[in-house]
Amino acid sequence: MIVSGGGQSAGALAAADLIDGYCLLVQPLVLGQGRALVGQLPDARHLNPIEAQSFPSGIFVQHT
């Protein structure tokens, strides 16, 4: 199943240990202080990159 959402939904699923893999799309945008990707999790998640690709527009895609 693929679920698309923001930090709150990803954080809730990660906290319940329901995520097998992540596909992160990073876009070059300056927001100032920034925000945590998934908020506060009870423990650290160690992600191992499987594949990564960057595009001329500056977008970076990483599969973990």
Side-chain angles (χ1 to χ4, degrees):
M1 177 183 346
I2 297 174
V3 176
S4 178
Q8 285 185 317
S9 59
L13 293 170
D17 201 26
L18 296 174
I19 298 179
D20 293 327
Y22 295 86
C23 179
L24 304 174
L25 282 76
V26 180
Q27 300 195 21
L29 178 68
V30 177
L31 295 175
Q33 292 180 329
R35 293 173 47 183
L37 178 63
V38 294
Q40 297 296 322
L41 293 175
D43 56 350
R45 299 288 193 263
H46 301 282
L47 305 177
N48 297 317
I50 297 172
E51 178 183 357
Q53 183 177 5
S54 62
F55 297 90
S57 63
I59 294 174
F60 181 78
V61 180
Q62 182 173 349
H63 299 273
T64 60

